[in-house]
Amino acid sequence: MASIRLNGITKRWGKVTGVSHFDLEVADQEFIVFLGPSGCGKTTTMRMIAGLEDPSDGDILIGDTRVNNLDPKDRDVAMVFQSYGLYPNLTVYENIRFPLKVRKVDPTTHDDRVRKAADMVELDNLLHRFPRELSGGQRQRVALARAIVREPNVFLMDEPLSNLDAKLRVSTRAKIKHLQHTLKTTTIYVTHDQIEAMTLADRVVVMNKGKLQQLGTPKQIYDTPANTFVASFIGSPAMNLLSGRIEQGHFVAGDARIPAGDIQNEGDITLGFRAEDVEVTLDNDATLVAPVYSVELLGDATLVTLNIDGTLVAAKASKDFEVEMDQQVGFRLAPESCHWFDAHTGHRIDG
């Protein structure tokens, strides 16, 4: 097993910077998820760890070994890609076995290791089939087994579930979580799906434009976002962000006037609040009052959206809550549910 350390990693292509001065320490056996939008640098960072890209600056250490100059095959990492990368002319058994043959592992151990890996991902009754005879979920499990059979120090997974349908993503996600717990292998997982990040990770690395935005447990990322980017990226729906200003201890936006608690900053500020932290009411003495812009039944809740001074803000009511479009509705916010951000930098302000 191995820890991973990235010291000031930077990746440039001419004048374009993909990753900028990136520092990270991944503990032995930890499950880290890189999360961010397309083009944020998460896959490039993973590829540098794997040795598929060379860093322009900085050091990569796996365990105590600096691996910058090591070939991918010498880093003892196994990758699972978005595309399954299976050999169509080989059976499932031979696809799983292939890394052992390439690395010249003792042939007498192959059968036991292949069957053990296949059993972990519930493929033991499909070993005779070819990839064309498998579903997408089964092919992804073959790719997982092929990584497991190597018994590497590090697993690197690049959006492995993105080609699966919603139901398969849920079941395969649970399987990956269980596998990592069973194998206790250091794992870095790349995704743009914040649900995958929140459900899988010990810690989440939120990235944007090649830079680290926040590093923390899923709970820390969700409860105390470091800036408006993280706040707007995490959550379903994302955190509401309402621009306004502080006047005489109150947040003011349009007709809304909300006590700002311990916030002392006079002037422009951004208020954030989660949809589930809001009480939806028909009373006109609520914190925010406006006609209903949209109402959506989600199944377990009803999502009610208002237009406040040109900004759409949403709240979750009970699934039995009924309201008509354009009907006057109020959102009631508790002070402890409010998040405050600098209007210019986007950084979190703690009162």
Side-chain angles (χ1 to χ4, degrees):
M1 304 303 174
S3 60
I4 300 171
R5 193 159 73 251
L6 308 181
N7 295 333
I9 292 299
T10 297
K11 180 62 180 180
R12 289 184 295 269
W13 298 275
K15 295 182 179 180
V16 177
T17 300
V19 178
S20 180
H21 304 291
F22 191 88
D23 295 310
L24 178 67
E25 290 192 17
V26 182
D28 182 28
Q29 301 182 18
E30 189 173 18
F31 197 128
I32 287 279
V33 174
F34 288 177
L35 175 67
S38 297
C40 73
K42 55 189 187 295
T43 295
T44 299
T45 304
M46 172 179 281
R47 288 174 63 84
M48 287 190 285
I49 295 170
L52 302 177
E53 296 275 1
D54 294 324
S56 305
D57 293 304
D59 294 318
I60 302 171
L61 292 92
I62 299 179
D64 296 323
T65 304
R66 182 180 181 275
V67 299
N68 290 46
N69 298 321
L70 292 183
D71 290 336
K73 65 182 177 61
D74 297 323
R75 298 191 184 197
D76 201 12
V77 301
M79 285 197 73
V80 180
F81 296 95
Q82 177 180 346
S83 59
Y84 315 124
L86 305 181
Y87 296 102
N89 60 321
L90 299 181
T91 63
V92 169
Y93 182 98
E94 289 300 330
N95 265 286
I96 297 172
R97 183 188 177 201
F98 190 77
L100 302 179
K101 295 171 67 176
V102 170
R103 296 174 71 86
K104 296 182 171 53
V105 174
D106 180 0
T108 63
T109 67
H110 287 194
D111 187 68
D112 183 60
R113 288 173 66 166
V114 168
R115 294 184 183 280
K116 182 179 177 182
D119 183 61
M120 284 185 174
V121 294
E122 300 175 14
L123 285 173
D124 40 308
N125 62 338
L126 300 175
L127 291 174
H128 62 287
R129 293 193 183 182
F130 290 90
R132 64 179 177 274
E133 301 172 303
L134 305 178
S135 68
Q138 289 167 338
R139 292 179 193 179
Q140 191 57 275
R141 282 189 277 152
V142 176
L144 285 170
R146 190 173 55 189
I148 291 167
V149 79
R150 285 188 48 193
E151 300 175 2
N153 276 329
V154 177
F155 284 132
L156 302 176
M157 301 188 182
D158 187 8
E159 305 212 36
L161 307 184
S162 59
N163 286 339
L164 306 182
D165 62 40
K167 184 177 179 181
L168 268 177
R169 277 202 301 271
V170 172
S171 60
T172 310
R173 191 173 69 212
K175 194 172 295 295
I176 288 173
K177 179 100 173 180
H178 182 76
L179 277 172
Q180 200 274 340
H181 173 76
T182 302
L183 297 170
K184 301 187 185 305
T185 303
T186 306
T187 302
I188 294 180
Y189 186 106
V190 162
T191 184
H192 63 272
D193 185 327
Q194 49 109 0
I195 295 176
E196 287 181 22
M198 298 293 285
T199 54
L200 287 172
D202 295 324
R203 289 189 298 161
V204 180
V205 175
V206 184
M207 296 182 68
N208 189 37
K209 297 180 180 177
K211 294 184 178 181
L212 174 67
Q213 299 295 313
Q214 188 170 359
L215 169 64
T217 65
K219 181 174 174 57
Q220 289 168 340
I221 297 285
Y222 190 84
D223 289 346
T224 55
N227 54 45
T228 51
F229 172 80
V230 177
S232 64
F233 198 79
I234 301 292
S236 182
M239 181 180 284
N240 296 297
L241 295 172
L242 190 58
S243 297
R245 60 193 183 280
I246 299 293
E247 293 181 358
Q248 298 177 337
H250 286 75
F251 172 82
V252 179
D255 295 331
R257 189 174 178 86
I258 303 170
D262 296 329
I263 300 298
Q264 302 298 321
N265 307 50
E266 290 284 330
D268 294 342
I269 199 167
T270 300
L271 165 65
F273 57 93
R274 296 273 182 207
E276 62 270 27
D277 292 334
V278 178
E279 179 189 353
V280 184
T281 175
L282 299 178
D283 296 338
N284 287 328
D285 63 345
T287 313
L288 302 171
V289 179
V292 172
Y293 181 87
S294 173
V295 58
E296 304 163 76
L297 179 61
L298 303 179
D300 61 339
T302 301
L303 191 68
V304 181
T305 303
L306 306 183
N307 187 331
I308 304 296
D309 198 30
T311 300
L312 299 183
V313 295
K316 284 185 177 178
S318 72
K319 63 181 180 181
D320 301 319
F321 184 82
E322 294 184 2
V323 67
E324 300 295 329
M325 298 285 285
D326 298 322
Q327 183 177 343
Q328 198 87 340
V329 165
F331 287 0
R332 188 168 286 131
L333 296 176
E336 60 271 19
S337 298
C338 294
H339 304 256
W340 303 98
F341 302 94
D342 185 287
H344 305 290
T345 66
H347 294 160
R348 183 182 186 83
I349 299 172
D350 291 313

